[in-house]
Amino acid sequence: MSDTGTLVYVVDDDASAREGVAGLLRSAGLTAKTFASGEEFLAAPPPKKPSCLVLDVNLPGVSGLEVQRELAKAAVHLPIIFLTGHGDIPTTVRAVKAGAVNFLTKPFDDEELLNAIQQSTAAHEEASLDIGGETPCEYNFADIIGKSNALRKVLEQVAIVAPTDSTVLLLGETGTGKELVARALHSLSPRKDRNLVRLNCAAIPSGLVESELFGHEKGAFTGALIQKRGRFELADKGTLFLDEIGDIGLDLQPKLLRALQEQEFERLGSTRTIRVDVRLIAATHRDLGAMIAEGKFREDLFYRLNVFPIEVPPLRERREDIPLLVHHFVARFARMMERPIGTIPARAMDALANAPWPGNIRELENFIERCVILTRGDQLFVPVDELAGPVAVRPMPASTFHETERRAIIDALRACSGRLAGPGGAADRLGLKRTTLQRKMSRLSISRSDYRREPAGVGF
């Protein structure tokens, strides 16, 4: 057996299924080693890296979940893809608790399994980078990294609600990773082979949100030169993720409520009713209860969204995950910038783990990117002095790349009264595609309140 390339262990008591998976892997250029039982696998020599384990949950004797527990006891960190013919919720919950990187229900698509193996081995190699002697991540579930109890509770809730069609409301501060949780919900749902359509409600000018959601007919308004399908229509049979839903205006909320309750709507400029089958995931960092009390959010819409709320914890409540996240970001940026970073000073890691991080994971990610840029040797350079003191009230240096980029986008939006597309729009001024600008606005947390101008006074 070659020690190079990816080695995939396949454990399944069904001989035809076992050999079928092994044949698929070999045809894809991977090395496969098969076992008929959990006992046989555990008796073999420890797995070599890079490797992955495709494991049947319902094995006779030692079950797949018991195999995972034995590997954890032996400190063998191996990405596991669980297979089962019984995709019930309790099994899914136990598999996620056990540390499943992915979970596939038989029969599965060949490409689906190969993609899962590729993603899990790549993530495992990245998480296992030997910097600072830290143990690899316990969880790497749909790119969600960590092993804290706070994160475990979130993943348990994800596993419970994902197989249903129920609406999920993700609550939490900006930068906590709510979009990653939304992706995990979709990837574990029966709709995973359909579209996951996203819309950041705060990144779209208020006058365009309705068109983005429901589409419009040609000529429906000035500038509507062609017919456009909205996000609800694009997400038919799939999942719609509405980020920053607290920024949707009161005038549009009744139409959104109707679309969610009745699964039907009309495009702007049309009287034809379009019916869809859409599972909604919404997210916000706002206090919707307070907005209801202030008359800024409809109570009936809140109840429709709040079917299954999940609170995504801030980074300060899961500090034990910070070293794992640091390793993940260092590995990613070092690879992107071709920097041979091998270690992180203990003093630097201690400072990173104890910093306030009011911007949560997004702030940590951006800070680590800058550290990698500043590093010239094989030891990560961390400007520890910048982490001292009350970071929550200390403005970020205006010279940082992300702050400069953020200010440039806000200035462009203000100059064109918040218009994103078209001649003279913000995207045109910045030399960007509209979709690229929207992604940047989402990543930099730019909302309408950042670029809306107050009405100027009129002089006589």
Side-chain angles (χ1 to χ4, degrees):
M1 183 187 304
S2 172
D3 288 337
T4 61
T6 299
L7 171 61
V8 182
Y9 298 89
V10 181
V11 183
D12 197 319
D13 62 306
D14 185 329
S16 60
R18 183 173 67 246
E19 294 307 320
V21 171
L24 170 66
L25 299 176
R26 291 175 185 130
S27 68
L30 303 173
T31 301
K33 186 171 179 59
T34 62
F35 299 88
S37 68
E39 294 93 332
E40 183 183 348
F41 172 74
L42 292 173
K48 296 180 180 180
K49 294 186 294 184
S51 56
C52 174
L53 174 58
V54 178
L55 180 62
D56 187 22
V57 172
N58 299 297
L59 293 170
V62 177
S63 71
L65 300 180
E66 289 170 332
V67 168
Q68 195 283 332
R69 284 194 285 270
E70 291 301 316
L71 291 176
K73 288 179 185 177
V76 175
H77 300 279
L78 183 68
I80 298 174
I81 299 170
F82 281 110
L83 304 180
T84 181
H86 309 282
D88 59 318
I89 291 175
T91 302
T92 306
V93 173
R94 291 197 299 274
V96 172
K97 283 184 178 180
V101 171
N102 212 323
F103 185 99
L104 302 180
T105 303
K106 298 176 183 179
F108 48 83
D109 182 75
D110 291 353
E111 286 298 318
E112 185 179 23
L113 176 59
L114 292 175
N115 288 338
I117 291 171
Q118 182 181 19
Q119 292 170 10
S120 64
T121 52
H124 184 60
E125 289 172 26
E126 183 174 275
S128 300
L129 180 67
D130 185 19
I131 46 179
E134 198 65 40
T135 56
C137 160
E138 178 181 344
Y139 274 114
N140 198 336
F141 181 73
D143 296 325
I144 302 172
I145 292 176
K147 61 181 181 180
S148 64
N149 288 332
L151 180 61
R152 185 188 298 274
K153 290 176 182 177
V154 170
L155 297 183
E156 289 178 7
Q157 290 178 298
V158 167
I160 290 170
V161 73
T164 74
D165 281 334
S166 297
T167 299
V168 178
L169 179 61
L170 302 176
L171 305 166
E173 298 175 9
T174 298
T176 51
K178 295 187 290 295
E179 183 169 348
L180 292 181
V181 176
R183 290 180 191 170
L185 285 162
H186 177 73
S187 66
L188 271 183
S189 76
R191 299 171 183 260
K192 61 185 176 184
D193 295 325
R194 299 285 186 165
N195 290 336
L196 170 61
V197 179
R198 307 171 184 84
L199 178 66
N200 187 324
C201 303
I204 307 295
S206 56
L208 297 179
V209 175
E210 183 173 1
S211 172
E212 288 292 330
L213 284 173
F214 306 114
H216 62 252
E217 298 293 340
K218 180 179 178 179
F221 52 85
T222 303
L225 304 179
I226 59 173
Q227 183 190 75
K228 176 182 177 180
R229 299 168 66 198
R231 305 298 173 98
F232 265 92
E233 202 168 345
L234 294 172
D236 188 28
K237 304 296 191 300
T239 304
L240 177 61
F241 174 49
L242 297 183
D243 198 5
E244 300 301 350
I245 199 165
D247 284 69
I248 285 187
L250 272 172
D251 56 335
L252 186 56
Q253 290 178 24
K255 190 168 185 178
L256 175 60
L257 177 61
R258 180 207 167 198
L260 294 177
Q261 288 181 331
E262 308 297 333
Q263 295 277 290
E264 63 181 31
F265 58 91
E266 292 80 38
R267 293 187 190 134
L268 282 172
S270 173
T271 58
R272 183 173 70 90
T273 298
I274 298 173
R275 292 197 60 81
V276 292
D277 173 16
V278 172
R279 195 266 182 92
L280 181 76
I281 301 171
T284 183
H285 72 281
R286 298 183 180 276
D287 183 344
L288 296 183
M291 292 182 68
I292 291 171
E294 295 168 3
K296 297 179 179 179
F297 202 85
R298 290 179 62 106
E299 191 172 15
D300 50 1
L301 177 57
F302 171 74
Y303 291 138
R304 182 63 186 80
L305 296 172
N306 199 44
V307 176
F308 196 95
I310 298 178
E311 187 81 31
V312 183
L315 193 54
R316 62 182 174 273
E317 293 181 7
R318 40 179 295 214
R319 290 194 178 277
E320 57 266 55
D321 292 337
I322 292 177
L324 300 172
L325 289 163
V326 170
H327 286 181
H328 172 75
F329 293 137
V330 170
R332 186 211 298 171
F333 292 124
R335 186 174 61 249
M336 288 170 55
M337 301 178 199
E338 299 183 348
R339 302 289 172 88
I341 299 173
T343 59
I344 299 175
R347 176 172 173 261
M349 182 62 82
D350 185 64
L352 291 165
N354 289 287
W357 302 119
N360 295 296
I361 298 173
R362 184 179 294 125
E363 182 187 3
L364 174 63
E365 178 182 7
N366 294 339
F367 185 80
I368 294 300
E369 181 179 0
R370 184 151 59 94
C371 292
V372 173
I373 293 171
L374 295 172
T375 299
R376 290 295 175 263
D378 63 354
Q379 185 176 84
L380 183 71
F381 173 77
V382 179
V384 174
D385 292 344
E386 294 185 18
L387 299 173
V391 179
V393 297
R394 174 174 56 82
M396 290 292 291
S399 60
T400 66
F401 172 78
H402 291 289
E403 182 62 17
T404 302
E405 183 181 33
R406 192 174 192 276
R407 289 184 178 180
I409 292 174
I410 290 174
D411 288 343
L413 287 164
R414 285 177 175 169
C416 59
S417 301
R419 187 160 53 88
L420 265 70
D428 183 51
R429 288 169 179 265
L430 294 166
L432 301 172
K433 293 182 180 179
R434 176 180 61 83
T435 54
T436 302
L437 176 57
Q438 288 173 334
R439 285 197 299 269
K440 286 179 177 288
M441 291 172 67
S442 176
R443 177 168 57 84
L444 297 169
S445 300
I446 298 175
S447 63
R448 286 195 297 275
S449 61
D450 293 311
Y451 56 81
R452 183 187 294 120
R453 289 185 182 276
E454 294 298 327
V458 179
F460 294 92

